[in-house]
Amino acid sequence: MSGDRVRATLGDEHGGEEPFARTAETLVASLTSRLAALLYVSGFEAVGSQIAGFAAAGRQVAQTAEGRRLRDAIVRSRAGMNGDALWGALRVQEWLSKVPPSPVLNDIANDLALLLSPGMHEALHDLATGELPLQRVPLPPPEDVTFADTLLGVWAVGRRLADAVEQLVGGIEAGPTVVVAPTPDPGDGSLLR
Amino acid sequence: MVRIVSEPGGDPGGILGADVLALQREFQARLADETLRYLRSLHGVVGPSSPGTVLRADRSAVVAVRGRCGEVAVLAVEVENAQQVHTLVTPMLTPLVDAGGTTWLPEAVAVPATVLVAPGDVEGVELHVQVPDELPDGIYAGAVLFVGVRNGLLPVQVTVGDPPPPRPAAAKAAAKKAAAKKAAAKKAPAKKAAAVTKAPAGKKGTATKAAPAAKAAAATKAAPAAKAVTKAAPAARKRGRP
């Protein structure tokens, strides 16, 4: 049985003001800023921020029924218990809970949208001529990170990314692909007979 | 107690040395930690922008559907992209809870699981929800979560079976008052009888018997609800396992 359809509108944050609107320019600026930030942050912070971002994604997905079931399964499993022990002994949890989480879900969605944006070339030209303003915004505060949330986030991001890449290229042809090798020319020489 | 070794050729580490070394290590670790935190505070306050997406929905909008046990209920949503670039949409369903407290972890399949919506386009997404056989009748409330979207929760309501319609708040208040008056009226004659103290045993017995009967009725009503919670959880867990 199905009910009536409800419409949900997806819009820009803060009413579409710069730098919050998602346009080709702001997405190129965001990607440029992220790459530039790698020059002055340590590997410790860059990697930690990414992993903390996966944990943040996991916390969001854990609000759903499927996410909650999977998280409970991770916590009860040997992998989950070993992961907690490993992170505790190596103080990984402590490290990750001190770095601001990277908006992994946002970044993936933005990078994919950029690949499909017709205004990307113009934005790249603005970047080359220095007309693209690089925006910086306050970082989110660090949050407690657990192994289960991180693993759940990796699952959610991976699944979403796999589906998105297939749609990006317009889908994959179903069925096997067969390439017939060309038949070699036997030649006219007597030695080959 | 610390023993200081002053003999020539003695172990320079000693007990005092080991303590000092331990303190030194701890100090260095804390110094490194605080230095990193300070450096981070200098250049880590701001970072690259990452424009996001928010859900704009009418506050009163609820995705509602009726379902029967053993069947599939379909929640349908139209997603409109009001941004200037493509948006990635991944809908997932939260746990559903009814007024009695029964929690249902639904087995829901999103069709499609993830969709790239072009700017200005509207795409339909459906969540196919398998209603368990043993789920008690009720109105189950929850939300569709659009993963990666800020404030991305759209309320959902699944009505299973034929539950009694919820009474409006005013009617509930009036019913409570009437029930309280009845209870007060019942107590008043019993009190009068007690005050007389020589009231017939039958009246007192009725009052006394009424209480255990009421308690027994309440216990009987509570037991099926508790069993429903217990029954629902293992079934949901079984379905969740591959």
Side-chain angles (χ1 to χ4, degrees), chain A:
Chain A
M1 299 181 75
S2 70
D4 297 329
R5 282 182 181 254
V6 169
R7 179 167 288 199
T9 303
L10 301 180
D12 290 314
E13 293 175 302
H14 302 279
E17 299 168 14
E18 295 287 339
F20 304 105
R22 290 178 78 237
T23 63
E25 287 78 18
T26 58
L27 298 190
V28 167
S30 171
L31 180 58
T32 309
S33 299
R34 276 184 275 141
L35 293 172
L38 294 174
L39 295 171
Y40 59 85
V41 299
S42 63
F44 175 92
E45 288 176 315
V47 172
S49 187
Q50 280 291 115
I51 300 176
F54 281 116
R59 280 193 295 274
Q60 190 186 42
V61 169
Q63 295 175 58
T64 66
E66 193 178 359
R68 184 166 143 181
R69 274 200 293 268
L70 183 57
R71 194 185 186 284
D72 289 347
I74 290 171
V75 167
R76 286 194 307 265
S77 68
R78 176 182 286 190
M81 288 190 269
N82 281 354
D84 279 338
L86 193 63
W87 277 25
L90 299 178
R91 301 173 68 179
V92 171
Q93 202 158 332
E94 199 181 307
W95 155 46
L96 295 176
S97 300
K98 289 179 184 171
V99 289
S102 176
V104 171
L105 292 171
N106 254 13
D107 291 341
I108 289 171
N110 288 345
D111 293 344
L112 291 171
L114 194 53
L115 293 174
L116 290 172
S117 170
M120 190 195 73
H121 294 282
E122 202 176 312
L124 289 176
H125 179 262
D126 288 345
L127 178 68
T129 56
E131 291 173 22
L132 199 67
L134 296 183
Q135 303 289 344
R136 296 179 66 74
V137 294
L139 284 173
E143 295 179 66
D144 284 337
V145 170
T146 64
F147 179 78
D149 285 335
T150 307
L151 200 55
L152 184 63
V154 169
W155 168 81
V157 169
R159 201 170 72 156
R160 183 169 144 104
L161 197 52
D163 288 341
V165 169
E166 287 182 15
Q167 287 190 41
L168 205 65
V169 299
I172 304 173
E173 285 178 11
T177 303
V178 177
V179 177
V180 178
T183 312
D185 185 6
D188 297 328
S190 58
L191 286 175
L192 290 174
R193 288 190 189 143

Side-chain angles (χ1 to χ4, degrees), chain B residues 116-220:
Chain B
L116 264 173
V117 186
D121 270 11
V122 178
E123 293 278 351
V125 294
E126 291 181 346
L127 286 151
H128 295 231
V129 185
Q130 177 67 46
V131 183
D133 293 331
E134 63 277 12
L135 190 69
D137 289 356
I139 301 174
Y140 293 84
V144 175
L145 171 72
F146 292 98
V147 177
V149 174
R150 303 257 167 96
N151 304 324
L153 287 167
L154 188 63
V156 148
Q157 199 173 75
V158 180
T159 305
V160 177
D162 290 316
R167 289 185 294 177
K172 276 186 188 172
K176 272 188 183 174
K177 277 186 184 173
K181 276 185 183 174
K182 277 186 185 174
K186 278 183 186 171
K187 281 183 185 172
K191 277 186 183 173
K192 282 182 185 172
V196 170
T197 47
K198 288 176 185 174
K203 278 190 184 174
K204 274 191 182 175
T206 311
T208 321
K209 277 178 189 172
K215 280 183 187 171
T220 317

Side-chain angles (χ1 to χ4, degrees), chain B residues 45-66:
Chain B
V45 174
V46 292
S49 68
S50 182
T53 306
V54 293
L55 173 68
R56 288 190 216 140
D58 184 8
R59 291 285 175 187
S60 60
V62 176
V63 185
V65 71
R66 292 192 80 94

Side-chain angles (χ1 to χ4, degrees), chain B residues 34-130:
Chain B
E34 288 299 326
T35 305
L36 272 174
R37 197 175 294 144
Y38 173 69
L39 286 173
R40 204 174 296 122
S41 71
L42 288 179
H43 66 65
V45 174
V46 292
S49 68
S50 182
T53 306
V54 293
L55 173 68
R56 288 190 216 140
D58 184 8
R59 291 285 175 187
S60 60
V62 176
V63 185
V65 71
R66 292 192 80 94
R68 290 203 193 97
C69 292
E71 294 184 357
V72 174
V74 179
L75 294 158
V77 181
E78 282 186 346
V79 180
E80 179 187 4
N81 181 7
Q83 296 182 301
Q84 298 174 56
V85 293
H86 281 73
T87 301
L88 199 57
V89 174
T90 307
M92 295 179 78
L93 195 56
T94 67
L96 303 171
V97 185
D98 82 339
T102 304
T103 303
W104 170 24
L105 290 176
E107 197 177 336
V109 176
V111 179
T114 299
V115 59
L116 264 173
V117 186
D121 270 11
V122 178
E123 293 278 351
V125 294
E126 291 181 346
L127 286 151
H128 295 231
V129 185
Q130 177 67 46

